Amino acid sequence: EPEVTQTPSHQVTQMGQEVILRCVPISNHLYFYWYRQILGQKVEFLVSFYNNEISEKSEIFDDQFSVERPDGSNFTLKIRSTKLEDSAMYFCASSEVGAGVGSPLHFGNGTRLTVT
Amino acid sequence: GQQVMQIPQYQHVQEGEDFTTYCNSSTTLSNIQWYKQRPGGHPVFLIQLVKSGEVKKQKRLTFQFGEAKKNSSLHITATQTTDVGTYFCLSAGGTSYGKLTFGQGTILTVHP
């Protein structure tokens, strides 16, 4: 069964550094998402992406965050200047059509970001 | 904005007992999805409900969507240790580009 893959599985970075989290969504999916989960807390929506542009973003997704689909397969999340509170598990997801109209989200295994 | 409240936050049961988690929305939903996240894992899709009053079953799991499409529940009959994890509902307002909001999740612990 096709999978969403994320790399790296764990990223450690110093406060103020830039990080790029990478995702390869399922190939025939059109909608892409980033979520994050701080340890022990709920899964929080960051951003959705369709047709090479952001569809929706949450209050968390401020100017420090950006997303890109640099080629036909990768979907990246960049955090420009990491803060301690950015430490979390970041999940990428994709869906065939929008989940709002009934398509399940398929999640990757996540990247654990630790900011020191 | 759309608010989804999920209760309870935690549930500890003895193996064999039943378990229910509830999601309540402040707005009418076009559909609701349920996900399970095992400890250390990622959310995995369980089911989607679309119609008012819809009830779906998956073995020991029963999912319901309220008549007003503002609330939903997941019920597990006779829990097993393999049911351990966090159960989330995901709500969408109805557009393809909607901001998809997870409930807070219910962490289920099953004691053997």
Side-chain angles (χ1 to χ4, degrees), chain B residues 4-6 21-25 32 34 70-73 89 103:
Chain B
V4 177
M5 301 301 295
Q6 187 172 358
T21 175
Y22 302 88
C23 278
N24 298 295
S25 170
I32 194 161
W34 285 92
K70 288 186 175 182
N71 55 72
S72 181
S73 64
C89 59

Side-chain angles (χ1 to χ4, degrees), chain B residues 34-38 42-44 46 82-88:
Chain B
W34 285 92
Y35 291 78
K36 177 183 178 181
Q37 184 179 25
R38 293 185 187 274
H42 59 275
V44 174
L46 294 175
T82 52
D83 295 326
V84 163
T86 304
Y87 293 85
F88 294 97

Side-chain angles (χ1 to χ4, degrees), chain A residues 37 42 56 100 102 105 109, chain B residues 31 35 37 42 48 97 102:
Chain A
Q37 186 176 34
K42 67 180 280 189
E56 292 278 352
L105 301 183
N109 289 330
Chain B
N31 65 68
Y35 291 78
Q37 184 179 25
H42 59 275
Q48 175 178 266
Y97 310 102
F102 274 99

